[in-house]
Amino acid sequence: LSLIIKDLTRPNGVAISNDQKTLYVAISDPKDRRIMAYDITSKGVENGRVFFNDDALPKGDQGNFDGLKIHPSGTVFSTGPGGVLIITPQGKHLGTIRTEQKTANCAFDAKLEYLYMTTHMYLTRIKL
């Protein structure tokens, strides 16, 4: 076990891109909600940068960035403010699957036909 990033507040969900070149880290700090991206190298990770933050999202949406999943297309599905955010590999927000409660995690089924989402009270799914 080794520490590879030591300057993050409330790191939570993690995911690796399909080509295994990028590490995504969801930051659940309500004062600085964002998703970071890092280049994966033979030495660890480098080039930390903000991949996505909540600046363009509606103010007042509940939830922090948490669970991350990468679709085979490279699209990032992240729980966060308002539900589950759908983000391009370039960091563009395509839309949000709006949930009634703070959403903690998400996962695809084996055939990639459904996205499952968990909140404090519910397990839900939506057809992709």
Side-chain angles (χ1 to χ4, degrees), residues 48-119:
R49 60 206 177 272
V50 175
F51 170 71
F52 186 83
N53 63 31
D54 66 352
D55 288 348
L57 299 176
K59 301 303 176 215
D61 277 349
Q62 292 186 357
N64 298 314
F65 294 111
D66 191 348
L68 294 169
K69 294 295 179 282
I70 311 299
H71 188 272
S73 66
T75 303
V76 176
F77 286 72
S78 174
T79 63
V84 177
L85 288 77
I86 304 168
I87 306 166
T88 68
Q90 296 76 32
K92 180 182 177 198
H93 181 229
L94 296 175
T96 301
I97 301 168
R98 306 224 17 115
T99 58
E100 293 182 14
Q101 296 189 0
K102 294 179 186 178
T103 307
N105 215 332
C106 60
F108 302 111
D109 71 317
K111 294 181 182 179
L112 301 170
E113 293 177 357
Y114 291 93
L115 178 72
Y116 288 84
M117 301 164 284
T118 60
T119 67

Side-chain angles (χ1 to χ4, degrees), residues 2-8 11 23 25 36-38 45-46 48:
S2 60
L3 178 64
I4 59 172
I5 305 168
K6 56 185 170 185
D7 62 346
L8 300 175
L23 170 69
V25 181
M36 296 294 294
Y38 298 86
V45 294
E46 299 175 351

